[in-house]
């Protein structure tokens, strides 16, 4: 199955992560047989964010049945009004509406709130075609925080048929009131493996520099590039590269200062800066390069198309990505993934490294170099090592590729993943819209599909079963015509669909004896039939509570059964249930409380997202055993007090689970009373019946603070 999709968003020649994602997504979908109509204002992008057309885009395979068609607003049609504004929303919505109607698009997909998602919401309203939104870091981290804008964006988000969220924003959308079933995760980046690869040839710098000299636009913005162009490039001299937007938080100026230190050490190198930004930023960068006497070894280059970026990466001995102190915490650039995929040595800031999903695989000096960009001496020392030992640096790049880059599952979507996601989304949206369109009749059908008693009454006397529902005669005639066997089939399939959904959330629970689970699920489904528009988290919690209670008193259930379902219920609810800290208004609030030093008068408390629970059996080991379908050992069935902490990582859906001993669990229980360290020590000593425990308690509290389980007020 293939779809026709209207994609509203940034696109080439706009530079940046969103434009890059849309470029490769459309390419990916077209290869999968989809017809993608891109509606963009990219031709109107200002010079500081514009890529120059150095090379042609990659062609789709000859046998490809899909297509990409770009519909762009025109610079020459740059209408405006007073006070001045370029009416991007209206232009995009107008063009996209014609596209949706002309090409009979199945879905509208927008990426970035302004102006693209706003335009998409209008197009959907005018055409009836479902629309969805994918966000970046800066739109929800900056634009959505504006009091003058956020009401409009909230309405656009709440009205969307689907939202492509991330682990860092999933709960925030739930907190906003977006239904669980409208939220989806992206299925990976679409970096083509045949383009982002160590096998790609390096950029022909001689030809490129000549082309740039001949093709730089006459706009005065590009004058700063000209002053660094007219000198020969030597591919045999170690070359340090950087690419992307220039700026202080990007580490651009840190790198220049470190390179100046390197030059004083008489180490030969060249510096390629594929950077753009505001005129003021570029002027400051040029001044810094000249001030540090780097002009003769530096080439300041304009942006090139993203499909040529791998060639630039392969032209460098090492690529630096040194972003630090970025004001939007959830901002997670994917440039490191591109460099790893190309097998080139890389220097990363600690800040960026910690944001990557594969950060645990990063090993300084083995597959990457990690640095604090503020420390120019440390950065210069790493640059010295790279430039002085080029073969060893290339080996680090190859190791980065082996450990991270070649595992496309780290960040690259499977060939059909995005296509399958859109097909899944369309089916979900159609089902939700169908359920919303019938009102009273739908309510009756929902009860009929899930209530055995009502179905038996319907088979005996349909008219009596209609009592209590406001149905007109046409609806009653339609209902009487329902085939009984078909009704039973649909009711059974609906029940099984819910069973499979709950099985995925409670995997260990469903490893309990099959006959027991089938009997209890039938009872649960009878007492709590599925309802249209039912809140997903509430349903999952309802199932867990029912099974906890039922398994506690069921004589055929294993002794630990109730603990199993309670553990899985709490882990899921604690992971997804939004809290005040999940509000979008708090997305940029730094987490500073846990950083306060412990002192004797500091009040202690459990940090947000930390939950204390006690179980009667070693539930973590039991769950692991059941999921692996291994026999349960006798020692796992010994009752006792098993203390756990559930801790969700900030800006993430990762849930950590820690097992505590009795003494540590006591400390955490006391912490929930939010008393000072001194009072906590006295209380703990009293409850434990021992004295002189201050040093041991302080050591444990310090460890708990390092684990971000407890925090201290100033």
């Amino acid at each position: 199955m293939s779809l026709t999709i209207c994609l509203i968003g940034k696109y080439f020649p706009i530079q940046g992560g969103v434009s890059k994602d849309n470029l490769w997504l459309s390419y990916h979908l077209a290869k999968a047989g989809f017809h993608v109509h891109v509606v963009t204002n990219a031709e109107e992008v200002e010079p500081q964010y514009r890529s120059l057309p150095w090379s042609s885009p990659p062609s789709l395979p000859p046998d490809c049945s899909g297509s990409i068609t770009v519909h762009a607003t025109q610079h020459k049609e740059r209408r405006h009004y007073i006070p001045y504004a370029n009416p991007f929303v209206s232009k995009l919505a107008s063009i996209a509406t014609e596209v949706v109607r002309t090409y009979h698009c199945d879905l509208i997909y927008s990426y970035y709130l302004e102006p693209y998602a706003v335009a998409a919401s209008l197009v959907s309203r005018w055409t009836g075609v479902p629309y969805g939104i994918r966000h970046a870091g800066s739109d929800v981290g900056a634009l959505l925080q504006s009091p003058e804008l956020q009401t409009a964006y909230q309405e656009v988000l709440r009205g969307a048929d689907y939202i492509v969220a991330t682990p860092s924003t999933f709960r925030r959308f739930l907190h906003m009131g977006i239904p669980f079933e409208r939220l989806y995760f992206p299925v990976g980046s679409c970096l083509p493996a045949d383009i982002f690869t160590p096998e790609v040839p390096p950029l022909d710098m001689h030809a490129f520099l000549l082309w740039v000299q001949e093709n730089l636009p006459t706009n005065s913005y590009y004058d700063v590039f000209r002053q660094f162009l007219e000198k020969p490039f030597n591919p045999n001299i170690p070359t340090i590269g950087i690419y992307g937007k220039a700026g202080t938080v990007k580490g651009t100026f840190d790198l220049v200062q470190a390179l100046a230190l390197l030059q004083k050490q008489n180490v030969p190198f060249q510096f390629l800066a594929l950077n753009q930004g505001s005129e003021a930023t570029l002027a400051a960068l040029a001044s810094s390069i000249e001030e540090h006497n780097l002009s003769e070894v530096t080439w300041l280059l304009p942006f090139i198309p993203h499909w040529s970026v791998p060639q630039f990466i392969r032209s460098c001995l090492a690529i630096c990505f040194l972003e630090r102190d970025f004001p939007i915490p959830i901002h997670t650039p994917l440039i490191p993934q591109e460099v790893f995929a190309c097998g080139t040595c890389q220097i990363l800031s600690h800040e960026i490294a910690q944001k990557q999903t594969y950060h645990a695989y990063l090993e300084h000096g083995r597959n990457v170099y990690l640095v604090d960009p503020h420390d120019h001496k440390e950065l210069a020392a790493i640059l010295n090592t790279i430039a002085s030992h080029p073969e060893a640096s290339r080996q680090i790049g190859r190791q980065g590729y082996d450990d991270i880059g070649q595992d496309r599952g780290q960040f690259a979507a499977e060939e059909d993943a995005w296509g399958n996601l859109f097909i899944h989304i369309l089916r979900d949206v159609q089902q939700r819209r169908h359920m919303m369109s019938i009102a009273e009749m739908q309510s009756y059908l929902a009860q009929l599909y899930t209530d055995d008693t009502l179905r038996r009454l319907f088979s005996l006397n349909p008219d009596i079963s209609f009592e209590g529902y406001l149905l007109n005669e046409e609806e009653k005639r339609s209902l009487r015509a329902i085939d009984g066997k078909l009704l039973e089939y649909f009711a059974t399939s609906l029940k099984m669909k819910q069973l499979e959904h709950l099985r995925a959330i409670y995997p260990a629970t469903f490893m309990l004896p099959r006959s027991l689970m089938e009997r209890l699920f039938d009872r649960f489904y009878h007492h709590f039939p599925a309802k249209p528009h039912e809140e997903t988290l509430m349903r999952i919690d309802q199932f867990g509570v029912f099974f906890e209670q039922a398994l506690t008193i069921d004589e055929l259930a294993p002794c630990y059964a109730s603990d199993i379902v309670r553990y899985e219920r709490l882990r899921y609810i604690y992971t997804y249930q939004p809290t005040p800290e999940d509000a979008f208004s708090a997305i940029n609030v730094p987490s500073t409380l846990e950083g306060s030093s412990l002192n004797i008068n500091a009040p202690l408390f459990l940090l947000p997202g930390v939950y204390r629970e006690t179980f009667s059996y070693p539930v973590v080991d039991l769950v692991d055993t059941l999921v692996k379908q291994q026999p349960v050992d006798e020692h796992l069935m010994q009752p006792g007090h098993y203390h756990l902490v559930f801790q969700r990582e900030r800006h993430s859906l990762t849930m950590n689970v820690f097992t505590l001993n009795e003494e540590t669990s006591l400390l955490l229980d006391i912490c929930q009373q939010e008393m000072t360290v001194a009072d906590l020590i006295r209380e703990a000593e009293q409850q434990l019946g021992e004295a002189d425990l201050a040093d041991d308690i302080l050591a444990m509290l310090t460890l708990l603070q390092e684990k971000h389980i407890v925090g201290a007020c100033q």
Side-chain angles (χ1 to χ4, degrees), residues 360-377:
Y361 298 99
L362 301 178
E363 295 184 45
H364 177 71
R366 180 177 179 273
N367 54 24
V368 70
Y369 283 107
L370 303 175
V371 68
D372 175 4
H374 299 90
D375 190 336
H376 301 152
K377 289 183 179 180

Side-chain angles (χ1 to χ4, degrees), residues 99-202:
V99 166
V100 168
R101 289 171 175 166
T102 301
Y103 298 99
H104 308 290
C105 296
D106 300 293
L107 278 177
I108 300 165
Y109 171 80
S110 61
Y111 193 167
Y112 213 83
L113 287 173
E114 181 81 38
Y116 311 105
V118 178
S121 70
L122 293 174
V123 178
S124 178
R125 183 173 181 179
W126 297 337
T127 64
V129 174
Y131 79 98
I133 299 168
R134 184 176 179 183
H135 71 86
S138 55
D139 53 354
V140 296
L143 291 175
L144 188 57
Q145 306 307 310
S146 167
E148 293 184 330
L149 298 172
Q150 62 185 210
T151 298
Y153 297 150
Q154 287 170 353
E155 291 300 321
V156 168
L157 288 163
R158 291 190 180 111
D161 293 280
Y162 64 98
I163 294 176
V164 181
T166 66
S168 63
T169 58
F170 198 95
R171 281 193 305 269
R172 298 186 190 279
F173 285 116
L174 294 175
H175 186 275
M176 182 185 284
I178 307 297
F180 199 98
E181 59 272 15
R182 293 190 192 180
L183 297 175
Y184 300 84
F185 288 114
V187 288
S189 171
C190 294
L191 293 179
D194 58 337
I195 294 176
F196 285 82
T197 168
E199 306 306 317
V200 69

